[in-house]
Amino acid sequence: MSVPISRLEEQQCRALVFALDHVFGRPGESAPTREELERTVATVRSENATLRAEIRELEHELYPADADIDAFEREIDSRVAGEREREVDTAREPASGI
């Protein structure tokens, strides 16, 4: 008697098998080297960035006002983060009162 597997569980199992195969290698194959793993990570990050850009473009087409508001909020967050970094750097600099 088999236990029914949900779609989510099946996807998780496939993802786990994929990850384990690529980290530890399949039986009879050697495990990937660190350089191979680093190249794979770099490739995946690049693809991820490309996909995120495509998503932003599609969101802009579907919801132009929402996309503009999100872009504005990201710009404000970026400026605030930059200002905070400058404040921290300024606080760390030693006073030169000679």
Side-chain angles (χ1 to χ4, degrees), residues 78-92:
S78 174
R79 290 181 183 185
V80 168
E83 187 61 32
R84 285 183 182 150
E85 286 179 20
R86 280 191 287 284
E87 287 175 4
V88 168
D89 289 344
T90 303
R92 288 185 185 170

Side-chain angles (χ1 to χ4, degrees), residues 29-79:
E29 293 181 7
S30 62
T33 64
R34 180 181 178 133
E35 291 80 21
E36 291 172 331
L37 291 174
E38 288 174 351
R39 279 193 304 270
T40 301
V41 167
T43 301
V44 169
R45 283 184 176 160
S46 173
E47 290 174 8
N48 192 11
T50 301
L51 291 173
R52 286 180 191 272
E54 288 179 27
I55 288 170
R56 281 193 300 273
E57 289 175 17
L58 292 172
E59 285 176 342
H60 183 68
E61 289 176 19
L62 288 173
Y63 313 106
D66 291 346
D68 290 340
I69 290 169
D70 289 342
F72 177 74
E73 288 175 350
R74 280 194 302 273
E75 176 67 23
I76 295 298
D77 290 343
S78 174
R79 290 181 183 185

Side-chain angles (χ1 to χ4, degrees), residues 14-25:
R14 276 194 260 151
L16 180 61
V17 168
F18 174 81
L20 291 174
D21 284 349
H22 285 80
V23 170
F24 297 109

